[in-house]
């Protein structure tokens, strides 16, 4: 199984939307949108606009985003967002891709990217119920802090 990160651009964004619609709930991959549940036309447009604003528009971009490809097929997204001397990571994977070691490989790729930028720390957040993410972050060497339902992870990169 080949896991790769493909920089987000317009063609990759179309592939990412397809992966999200096919294998994720909208609330897992984007901020809430008012309206009927599911992947409505409005929610699909909001997904595209969200990623364009956060990554593709130079005037508003706040992060680097990649499509997670497994054997050439889009199965999710990964991101790094600067926060002072740290980079905050985020990953989502389609339901069919979870539990197969893909998250571990993507985390390793993001850690390598973060180190190449000279960032001092790698950050991530999840919930207490996301046992897979918690285990993955702990096995990568991150220190986990739990406050209520929120879990933050921090790993020194130096």
């Amino acid at each position: 199984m080949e896991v790769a990160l493909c920089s987000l651009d317009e063609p990759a964004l179309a592939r990412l939307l397809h992966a999200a619609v096919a294998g994720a709930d909208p609330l897992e991959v984007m901020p809430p949108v008012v309206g009927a549940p599911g992947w409505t036309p409005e929610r699909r447009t909001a997904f595209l606009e969200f990623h364009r604003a956060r990554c593709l528009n130079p005037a508003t971009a706040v992060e680097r985003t990649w499509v997670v490809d497994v054997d050439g097929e889009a199965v999710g997204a990964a991101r790094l967002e600067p926060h002072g001397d740290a980079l905050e990571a985020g990953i989502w994977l389609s339901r069919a891709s979870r539990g197969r070691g893909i998250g571990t490989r993507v985390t390793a790729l993001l850690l390598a990217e973060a180190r190449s930028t000279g960032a001092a720390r790698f950050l991530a957040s999840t919930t207490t119920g996301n046992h897979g993410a918690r285990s993955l972050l702990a096995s990568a060497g991150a220190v986990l802090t739990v406050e209520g339902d929120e879990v933050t992870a921090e790993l020194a990169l130096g």
Side-chain angles (χ1 to χ4, degrees):
M1 170 175 54
E2 181 184 345
V3 178
L5 299 180
C6 172
S7 291
L8 194 68
D9 58 15
E10 282 296 328
L13 181 54
R15 295 186 320 108
L16 184 60
L17 175 61
H18 178 76
V21 171
D25 184 275
L27 292 175
E28 296 174 314
V29 301
M30 63 181 285
V33 173
V34 176
W39 285 104
T40 63
E42 295 81 13
R43 199 160 280 113
R44 291 171 193 233
T45 297
F47 179 90
L48 296 172
E49 290 173 358
F50 172 76
H51 283 288
R52 286 180 181 127
R54 290 196 57 88
C55 178
L56 297 180
N57 182 340
T60 60
V62 296
E63 67 188 21
R64 281 191 68 197
T65 303
W66 295 269
V67 174
V68 176
D69 282 324
V70 175
D71 296 331
E73 179 183 344
V75 300
R79 67 173 179 82
L80 289 173
E81 180 179 349
H83 289 277
D85 69 344
L87 287 171
E88 179 187 48
I91 300 170
W92 68 262
L93 296 173
S94 64
R95 287 183 288 276
S97 299
R98 299 173 193 165
R100 298 175 41 206
I102 296 166
T104 300
R105 181 68 184 126
V106 171
T107 300
L109 292 169
L110 287 177
L111 280 166
E113 180 65 28
R115 285 185 176 103
S116 77
T117 70
R121 299 174 299 130
F122 182 86
L123 309 173
S125 62
T126 188
T127 61
T128 54
N130 192 335
H131 301 290
R134 291 175 64 188
S135 175
L136 183 151
L137 291 164
S139 67
V143 174
L144 304 182
T145 304
V146 178
E147 288 187 32
D149 189 43
E150 298 297 313
V151 179
T152 56
E154 183 173 339
L155 176 64
L157 296 175

